[in-house]
Amino acid sequence: MNFFESQLFKDVQTQHIFDDCKTFADATARTSWLSACKHYEQVAPLNQAQLKEFVNTHFITTPLLRMQSEPDTASVKHYINSLWHGLRRAADKPKADSLLALKHSYIVPGGRFQEIYYWDSYFTALGLIDANKPEIVEDMLQNFIDLINDYGCIPNGNRSYYLSRSQPPILALMVELLWHHEHSKTNNVAWLEKCVDALEKEYAFWMQGAEELTNEKTALRRVVKMPCDGKLNRYWDDEAAPRAESLREDLALAEGLAEHKKPDFFRHIRAACESGWDFSSRWLAEPDSLSSIQTTDIIPIDLNCLLYNLEKQLSKFNKLLGNSEQADLFSDYAAARRTLINKYMWSEQQHFFVDYNHHKASQSKVLSAAASTALFFNLASEQQAQHIAERLSRDFLKAGGIVTTVTSTSQQWDSPNGWAPLQWFAVKGLNNYGFSDLSKRIMQNWLTMVENDFSVNQCLLEKYNVCVPQLKAGGGEYVVQQGFGWTNGVTSRFYALCED
């Protein structure tokens, strides 16, 4: 049986037994999920006090992440270096819980996030490389290869309730990171062949259904057929139901919707989680209304830039392996995607890359830092890069770094918040085109903010209010988490670049 569809699971989540729905989604059964559910069927219904007692009898819940030793708070650099050990998890032993057991060690982000997260891991890996810990990155990459071989995709995180979706595809970036690292033990032909096999499987996952598209059926799963017959991608989730880890929130949000509209609503919510930007005005028809979410209608600029990079890397790596036919094929795919991105996602009016709403056949009016991925992957022309740099400097650069969008809402992936991944995309992207002064300003603003906040709170956080750094970042479905994997990684990389 599916534990997450059981009456026990629904009752625990909706009766507010835990403040955070993820707590029970991650709980370990003392015997088995099946026996707990069968026992519950015999005694239900229970009041809240009885249900709490039942849960404590049949399950073990894991407290928020606690470090094995106190981190070194002498400075931000010391803190980051001391945290890698605390955030590292050994290979998993299978248990009666939702965790997909991994065979190799990995880094968790921190706080409520006690499993590996897909796109987080690339940004975390930057810091691990800087700390001369390539072996941990190698382990994490191998875990992703195992996941894609076992499940056909790299899920959002290694939890069974994440299996219906992935996250922004950064596997090619991790492969490249290790391939170019001089002390990595993995940069050899046999290892590259294994990586290319996994990358091609990931590509097949994102392009699944592309051959079935017609003029009448223009979108299927993660692929959209454009008016010119080319194909671009969107975020998706194979389930159209409330999320197990946020069941209560999803049911509450859907309460006012007509019954026939709820499946689409749940899929839009889940697709936004696949994007990593959960949640943002990028996905909303009305910026201040999460109920207006329309994620699967949106063709995102960053996703398509990441897939452009995947195609480019598959071309490069296949060429290195002597697979010239495959190399040419993926080179053609990349060239076609670049043309489509420029055709549909470059705004002549805004002089900026934007998302595209394929349902309305129109460009999004939301300007987001996701546009930096076009610079990061060298997809923009010199003139486009100039325009993007000017816009980033004028509208996105704030006291603490690059703001997520120029739209201010209550969502955590909007202004006034800034996130480490977007700082890295902007900094490296600007450097690719020679805008080193602007990239240095972004790094300095970010580092100054992080250090000032650290002097007060003695920790690093998953996100910051970059507009008014003295204020705590808000928005989202949970409180700001400490740790934090990708903040550590990007901040570490900025220190390294500033010292060069």
Side-chain angles (χ1 to χ4, degrees):
M1 70 175 295
N2 185 339
F3 174 62
F4 302 117
E5 294 176 0
S6 69
Q7 193 60 48
L8 169 60
F9 187 78
K10 290 175 183 174
D11 287 352
V12 170
Q13 299 293 46
T14 55
Q15 288 193 39
H16 219 114
I17 302 303
F18 300 101
D19 289 337
D20 187 340
C21 282
K22 194 174 186 301
T23 304
F24 192 53
D26 296 350
T28 302
R30 294 185 186 273
T31 51
S32 73
W33 282 348
L34 183 60
S35 63
C37 290
K38 283 186 174 179
H39 190 185
Y40 184 69
E41 288 170 4
Q42 296 168 5
V43 299
L46 302 177
N47 63 35
Q48 190 181 54
Q50 292 168 331
L51 187 53
K52 278 184 179 178
E53 185 178 345
F54 182 92
V55 169
N56 289 334
T57 301
H58 292 273
F59 294 89
I60 301 167
T61 56
T62 306
L64 288 181
L65 180 69
R66 293 289 181 268
M67 298 302 167
Q68 296 168 353
S69 58
E70 286 297 314
D72 185 346
T73 57
S75 69
V76 172
K77 289 181 184 179
H78 283 87
Y79 176 81
I80 291 171
N81 286 331
S82 69
L83 218 58
W84 293 131
H85 176 71
L87 293 174
R88 190 177 186 182
R89 294 290 172 267
D92 299 313
K93 294 178 181 177
K95 295 184 292 185
D97 64 4
S98 60
L99 198 70
L100 304 174
L102 300 177
K103 299 172 186 174
H104 305 272
S105 72
Y106 55 96
I107 298 288
V108 301
R112 74 197 283 268
F113 302 109
Q114 302 190 53
E115 49 280 308
I116 200 170
Y117 280 81
Y118 179 25
W119 84 306
D120 294 52
S121 297
Y122 163 66
F123 305 97
T124 300
L126 298 172
L128 291 168
I129 292 292
D130 291 340
N132 198 28
K133 299 179 185 294
E135 71 282 356
I136 306 180
V137 182
E138 291 161 15
D139 274 3
M140 292 163 72
L141 179 66
Q142 185 58 57
N143 284 328
F144 289 147
I145 292 173
D146 291 343
L147 285 167
I148 206 163
N149 286 335
D150 290 344
Y151 301 107
C153 77
I154 302 170
N156 187 149
N158 63 314
R159 293 280 178 187
S160 59
Y161 54 76
Y162 285 148
L163 279 170
S164 58
R165 64 177 180 266
S166 185
Q167 268 197 329
I170 52 80
L171 187 65
L173 287 170
M174 290 189 73
V175 173
E176 189 175 26
L177 202 59
L178 286 172
W179 182 253
H180 291 301
H181 191 268
E182 59 182 339
H183 298 302
S184 172
K185 298 174 184 176
T186 53
N187 50 2
N188 56 65
V189 170
W191 175 81
L192 188 60
E193 285 176 339
K194 181 172 65 175
C195 290
V196 166
D197 179 65
L199 290 171
E200 290 187 349
K201 286 176 181 173
E202 174 161 64
Y203 189 71
F205 165 79
W206 285 98
M207 298 306 294
Q208 189 173 355
E211 300 306 315
E212 300 172 45
L213 296 177
T214 64
N215 290 336
E216 290 73 38
K217 186 180 185 180
T218 58
L220 181 62
R221 299 192 76 192
R222 293 164 177 84
V223 192
V224 178
K225 184 172 183 277
M226 306 306 290
C228 66
D229 289 342
K231 297 178 180 74
L232 289 172
N233 291 79
R234 63 178 177 176
Y235 289 112
W236 181 257
D237 189 299
D238 295 333
E239 296 286 336
R243 294 167 293 159
E245 75 281 13
S246 300
L247 184 76
R248 193 166 57 241
E249 291 86 352
D250 286 357
L251 289 175
L253 271 169
E255 208 168 76
L257 298 176
E259 206 61 37
H260 71 280
K261 290 187 175 180
K262 288 182 180 179
D264 281 346
F265 169 77
F266 293 135
R267 197 187 302 280
H268 288 315
I269 286 281
R270 287 168 163 266
C273 294
E274 182 170 81
S275 79
W277 289 56
D278 42 342
F279 298 104
S280 170
S281 57
R282 291 179 70 190
W283 319 128
L284 307 181
E286 301 166 23
D288 294 314
S289 171
L290 189 53
S291 298
S292 72
I293 195 164
Q294 53 181 1
T295 318
T296 68
D297 293 346
I298 306 297
I299 297 173
I301 179 60
D302 44 357
L303 171 60
N304 284 280
C305 287
L306 282 158
L307 289 170
Y308 168 79
N309 178 65
L310 176 54
E311 290 160 342
K312 292 279 286 183
Q313 295 303 320
L314 277 170
S315 177
K316 181 178 93 171
F317 290 143
N318 270 299
K319 189 173 183 179
L320 286 171
L321 294 172
N323 304 328
S324 58
E325 194 171 321
Q326 280 291 87
D328 291 345
L329 180 66
F330 282 106
S331 180
D332 290 343
Y333 288 159
R337 189 180 297 272
R338 180 175 185 160
T339 298
L340 291 170
I341 288 172
N342 276 292
K343 180 179 179 65
Y344 292 100
M345 307 174 85
W346 175 254
S347 169
E348 284 294 345
Q349 183 182 1
Q350 299 287 356
H351 286 146
F352 208 64
F353 281 106
V354 296
D355 301 325
Y356 183 85
N357 187 316
H358 71 90
H359 187 68
K360 296 178 179 176
S362 63
Q363 293 181 335
S364 172
K365 291 181 172 61
V366 176
L367 301 184
S368 82
S372 296
T373 54
L375 304 183
F376 188 89
F377 295 117
N378 291 295
L379 185 146
S381 68
E382 294 293 335
Q383 187 177 34
Q384 287 172 331
Q386 180 70 45
H387 287 308
I388 293 169
E390 289 171 359
R391 174 73 75 167
L392 289 175
S393 177
R394 184 175 72 247
D395 297 336
F396 284 84
L397 182 55
K398 306 297 181 183
I402 293 291
V403 73
T404 311
T405 69
V406 297
T407 309
S408 184
T409 75
S410 61
Q411 303 306 326
Q412 63 174 350
W413 285 84
D414 278 320
S415 181
N417 291 348
W419 297 72
L422 303 183
Q423 314 306 312
W424 176 237
F425 281 145
V427 164
K428 186 175 185 300
L430 289 164
N431 282 340
N432 287 346
Y433 288 82
F435 298 104
S436 57
D437 288 345
L438 179 54
S439 74
K440 285 175 185 173
R441 282 167 55 204
I442 294 169
M443 288 192 288
Q444 289 296 344
N445 285 19
W446 176 264
L447 291 174
T448 299
M449 175 190 66
V450 167
E451 288 174 350
N452 288 341
D453 188 84
F454 183 81
S455 69
V456 176
N457 295 309
Q458 300 288 282
C459 65
L460 264 61
L461 303 171
E462 62 166 338
K463 64 190 176 193
Y464 291 89
N465 182 330
V466 295
C467 295
V468 188
Q470 297 78 17
L471 299 180
K472 201 170 187 178
E477 299 175 311
Y478 51 85
V479 299
V480 178
Q481 301 295 297
Q482 295 183 14
F484 193 86
W486 61 19
T487 306
N488 300 346
V490 171
T491 302
S492 173
R493 177 54 55 96
F494 284 176
Y495 278 128
L497 288 174
C498 288
E499 289 168 0
D500 285 348

